[in-house]
Amino acid sequence: MKDRRTDMNDTEHTLARRVIALLDLTSLNTDDTDASIEALCRKALTPVGPVAAVCVYPQFVSLARRTLDALGGHSIQVATVCNFPDGDAPLDDVLAQTRKALADGANEIDVVYPYRALIAGDEQRGRDLVAACKALCQGRALLKVILETGELNALLIRRASIDAIQAGADFIKTSTGKVKVNATPEAADLMLHIIANYNPQVGFKPAGGMRMLGDATVYLWLAERILGADWISPRHLRFGASSLLDNTLELIGLSAENPAQGAY
């Protein structure tokens, strides 16, 4: 009979595999280089299977795609950010960024919603931006809309979530990771209920502040409670984080620096 420690280890391994398969492994640092992005792509092929995506700045999209393909990581998506991180670039500039990212091979666009305009009372700017980006991404890439929930009250999170969904977002995402307050269970609960009520085909991505396996499982359990276990898949749930992978693998006694060739 298994002892309690073995049972717990099995549970941790199962959770680790689930979370890693839903992870957008992210590097959005001002000092990113070709070498650091190549290293990120190597880490994305973990000992327990590939992550869902790598998320990098637009200038690294083509490099990330080439590197992943050379490593055999064809299933791993390349995500990039537009209108990032402030969310207040002119619409034409955002669309130019998006077109370039798509041309370079981005599979997913994480665009920052113009949350400051919403705070100032302008709801239409966000609707227009999401709709215009969706028109470019339609049939080519997933559109993930970053609401920057740490800067919004509950009423504005609700307004932004509904407007983004109705304008065509494939995902709504909490945060850029560049402000003081990023993903929180309270914002996640609100956003997941809006998805359930308005369009359960829309995905949800908490981002920022998740460093340990337990941090991510809070959002996993929330999503299961609100939308059901069958809803959980990389098409509907992602975790945006940079250090979560290392800490999760360390917890189960593995290392991100030694990917298991062919282990999955």
Side-chain angles (χ1 to χ4, degrees):
M1 180 180 294
K2 293 181 179 180
D3 64 23
R4 184 179 180 87
R5 287 175 300 176
T6 302
D7 287 339
M8 181 58 70
N9 189 258
D10 288 348
T11 299
E12 289 173 345
H13 272 77
T14 299
L15 278 172
R17 288 177 181 274
R18 293 188 73 191
V19 167
I20 288 169
L22 301 169
L23 179 62
D24 284 5
L25 184 61
T26 300
S27 187
L28 296 170
N29 304 307
T30 56
D31 59 352
D32 285 338
T33 64
D34 286 2
S36 67
I37 297 305
E38 289 168 352
L40 183 80
C41 292
R42 288 193 293 272
K43 286 177 64 174
L45 291 106
T46 86
V48 295
V51 300
V54 296
C55 185
V56 298
Y57 275 124
Q59 63 266 34
F60 296 113
V61 166
S62 60
L63 173 63
R65 183 72 273 159
R66 290 195 309 272
T67 304
L68 289 169
D69 289 346
L71 293 168
H74 305 288
S75 69
I76 300 173
Q77 305 298 290
V78 175
T80 194
V81 290
C82 295
N83 202 24
F84 187 90
D86 296 329
D88 54 9
L91 179 58
D92 286 348
D93 291 354
V94 179
L95 296 180
Q97 292 173 355
T98 303
R99 288 190 193 95
K100 178 65 163 57
L102 293 170
D104 286 347
N107 308 112
E108 302 177 0
I109 301 294
D110 289 27
V111 65
V112 180
Y113 186 90
Y115 63 93
R116 290 193 177 95
L118 180 64
I119 292 169
D122 182 355
E123 298 178 2
Q124 193 60 44
R125 183 172 174 183
R127 298 178 190 129
D128 291 345
L129 180 140
V130 176
C133 289
K134 178 64 175 183
L136 294 179
C137 293
Q138 186 74 50
R140 301 179 67 185
L142 289 178
L143 178 63
K144 309 207 295 281
V145 179
I146 308 170
L147 306 184
E148 203 68 288
T149 55
E151 299 293 295
L152 304 176
N153 62 33
L155 287 175
L156 292 181
I157 294 171
R158 177 178 175 80
R159 181 73 270 154
S161 297
I162 293 170
D163 285 352
I165 289 171
Q166 292 183 336
D170 295 303
F171 272 73
I172 51 175
K173 173 179 171 181
T174 61
S175 321
T176 61
K178 301 296 186 181
V179 295
K180 184 176 180 180
V181 177
N182 292 288
T184 65
E186 293 78 14
D189 186 89
L190 176 55
M191 294 167 73
L192 287 163
H193 274 102
I194 290 168
I195 289 170
N197 290 332
Y198 282 83
N199 185 353
Q201 295 307 309
V202 171
F204 171 67
K205 179 178 173 180
M210 287 176 289
R211 296 179 176 84
M212 303 297 292
L213 181 60
D215 298 330
T217 54
V218 169
Y219 299 103
L220 179 64
W221 292 332
L222 267 175
E224 286 187 343
R225 177 175 61 81
I226 295 167
L227 285 148
D230 291 344
W231 185 83
I232 306 298
S233 75
R235 175 56 187 83
H236 289 136
L237 182 64
R238 299 287 184 84
F239 301 110
S242 56
S243 59
L244 177 61
L245 177 60
D246 290 335
N247 289 324
T248 297
L249 290 175
E250 182 180 358
L251 179 65
I252 60 175
L254 297 171
S255 170
E257 303 306 324
N258 295 294
Q261 299 298 321
Y264 47 88

